Amino acid sequence: MRILALIPARGGSKRLPGKNIRPLGGKPLIVWSIEVAAAVPEICDILVSTDDAAIAAVCAQAGALVPWLRPAALATDTAGSLEVALHALDWYERAHGAVDGLLLLQPTSPFRSVDSVRRGIALFAGAGALPVVGVSPSSEHPLWTFKLEDGQLQPYVDGAGAATRSQDLPAAYVLNGSFYLVAPAQLRAQRGFIGPRTLPLVIASAREALDIDTPWDWALAESALAPTP
């Protein structure tokens, strides 16, 4: 099975400037994802899509494939991951042949493990190439969430609310952003990484599921790397 790992890394970041190459635990943030992908035998190449020359240089030095800088139209705040993925996939298959799956690895998930990546690929291979996405147990259950209507709290789900006992709540999961694997034909047809039938790669570890998007997230990541007293 040939899996292409794609790591998207735009240069601009308003909340954490330069985060993709900001040092975390002694190496640039994006290198964590490159090193994990490099340790997975099923991954045939690690392609980085970036618009930033500094990011490109760091990734190339770490062993990733960085054949071009992303077109300006795909480097804006409004450019979506779908368009970025299709651009990279189309180029790679023209240059290097067809792949069985495109694996999107966001660089903001540095603690995903080789084991989790391989589990996700095994799910994909064993289920006829259904899409697989990384999920984690939700820290805030949807049945305990509210909206404001006319200045008053109303449960998002009719008949739910704080009166529901925790032991009566069904398990709830959220996308953690660490793993998206889809067959190229399905990505092009459905224009998304999640389809009507999508398999979950459940990642229970809060450390592994951490998605760095804010300064607080970065502080949590540094704390997770701190030696235990």
Side-chain angles (χ1 to χ4, degrees), residues 9 27 31 36 44 53 56 60 69 71 107 119 126 138 143 149 155-156 160 189 206 211 213 215 223 229:
K27 56 189 171 187
V31 172
V36 165
C44 60
L69 291 182
R119 282 196 299 115
S138 177
L143 294 183
E149 289 186 353
Y156 259 102
D211 181 14
D213 193 43
S223 176

Side-chain angles (χ1 to χ4, degrees), residues 36-213:
V36 165
V40 176
E42 296 86 352
I43 292 176
C44 60
D45 253 321
I46 306 164
L47 176 61
V48 173
S49 173
T50 184
D51 62 317
D52 187 279
I55 294 175
V58 167
C59 294
Q61 186 174 12
L65 177 63
V66 196
W68 30 255
L69 291 182
R70 190 186 300 178
L74 296 178
T76 66
D77 289 341
T78 57
S81 58
L82 171 64
E83 290 76 18
V84 169
L86 289 173
H87 169 263
L89 176 63
D90 290 345
W91 176 87
Y92 187 87
E93 291 198 317
R94 285 195 305 268
H96 299 279
V99 295
D100 300 299
L102 178 71
L103 173 58
L104 184 72
L105 298 175
Q106 296 187 149
T108 49
S109 298
F111 301 140
R112 77 170 69 76
S113 66
V114 172
D115 177 68
S116 289
V117 174
R118 298 203 71 186
R119 282 196 299 115
I121 293 173
L123 278 172
F124 177 78
L130 287 176
V132 179
V133 299
V135 299
S136 298
S138 177
S139 60
E140 299 171 355
H141 201 282
L143 294 183
W144 278 0
T145 59
F146 296 84
K147 56 188 173 183
L148 294 180
E149 289 186 353
D150 298 325
Q152 298 182 29
L153 288 175
Q154 297 294 336
Y156 259 102
V157 180
D158 290 342
T164 307
R165 301 184 308 166
S166 60
Q167 58 265 43
D168 295 331
L169 296 172
Y173 298 89
V174 294
L175 298 175
N176 59 39
S178 68
F179 187 100
Y180 297 87
L181 177 56
V182 66
Q186 188 163 3
L187 180 67
R188 291 178 174 120
Q190 71 187 18
R191 300 193 64 79
F193 287 88
I194 300 176
R197 299 174 62 207
T198 300
L199 299 179
L201 171 63
V202 178
I203 298 175
S205 164
R207 179 185 187 274
E208 188 174 347
L210 178 62
D211 181 14
I212 300 176
D213 193 43

